[in-house]
């Protein structure tokens, strides 16, 4: 599956971007390229709507951190909204312990994240 990025009309100091599909080693550069022109402005907030995001790898997380790092010197924030349960689980884990303190490589991080997201998806299917 590919990544679909929709840049919505800007608000007062805010920009909303909807991300759908898979944000991984094959698609993270697409997000970086789409966000680059937005991050040069003095944004107060970049809102990433993750409702359509099915999967995120460490490369995708790195793209989000890169956007945060770019906006931070100007007091800007990156806000993540509407993550699906498997994405929320990854985000919760990353907030608690930075990836660079746990994993020695991107491949190792992805190997850890893949089954965790699959289990979260399977648990959600059992609830239906």
């Amino acid at each position: 599956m590919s990544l679909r990025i929709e840049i919505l009309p800007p608000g007062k100091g805010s920009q909303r971007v909807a991300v759908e599909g898979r944000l991984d080693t094959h698609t993270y550069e697409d997000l970086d390229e789409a966000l680059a022109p937005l991050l040069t402005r003095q944004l107060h907030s970049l809102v990433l709507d993750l409702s359509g995001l099915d999967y995120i790898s460490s490369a995708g997380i790195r793209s989000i951190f890169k956007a945060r790092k770019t906006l931070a010197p100007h007091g800007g924030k990156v806000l993540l909204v509407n993550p699906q349960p498997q994405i929320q689980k990854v985000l919760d884990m990353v907030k608690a312990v930075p990836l660079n303190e746990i994993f020695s490589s991107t491949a190792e991080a992805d190997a850890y994240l893949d089954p965790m997201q699959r289990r979260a998806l399977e648990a959600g299917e059992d609830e239906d």
Side-chain angles (χ1 to χ4, degrees):
M1 180 181 239
S2 62
L3 185 69
R4 183 172 169 267
I5 303 164
E6 181 181 2
I7 300 173
L8 302 164
K12 294 180 182 177
S14 179
Q15 178 66 58
R16 189 174 181 106
V17 177
V19 184
E20 298 178 9
R22 290 179 61 91
L23 182 53
D24 58 21
T25 55
H26 302 289
T27 61
Y28 79 94
E29 289 177 329
D30 297 337
L31 182 61
D32 288 350
E33 288 174 19
L35 295 181
L38 305 175
L39 300 176
T40 61
R41 299 182 306 181
Q42 298 293 322
L43 284 179
H44 296 310
S45 63
L46 171 65
V47 179
L48 296 178
D49 185 339
L50 307 180
S51 60
L53 193 64
D54 300 318
Y55 176 87
I56 189 166
S57 74
S58 60
I61 292 167
R62 187 173 53 241
S63 288
I64 293 169
F65 284 152
K66 181 179 175 181
R68 290 178 64 191
K69 185 176 179 181
T70 302
L71 289 179
H74 310 291
K77 302 281 185 197
V78 175
L79 307 174
L80 307 178
V81 298
N82 304 319
Q84 294 187 40
Q86 71 275 17
I87 305 300
Q88 183 65 54
K89 186 154 182 92
V90 171
L91 296 173
D92 289 344
M93 188 274 305
V94 170
K95 278 192 276 187
V97 181
L99 285 177
N100 62 354
E101 294 180 12
I102 299 173
F103 304 105
S104 62
S105 70
T106 299
E108 182 182 346
D110 287 344
Y112 177 79
L113 297 174
D114 289 350
M116 182 175 50
Q117 290 185 88
R118 275 195 293 277
R119 283 192 301 273
L121 279 172
E122 290 167 1
E125 290 170 3
D126 292 341
E127 294 172 4
D128 294 345

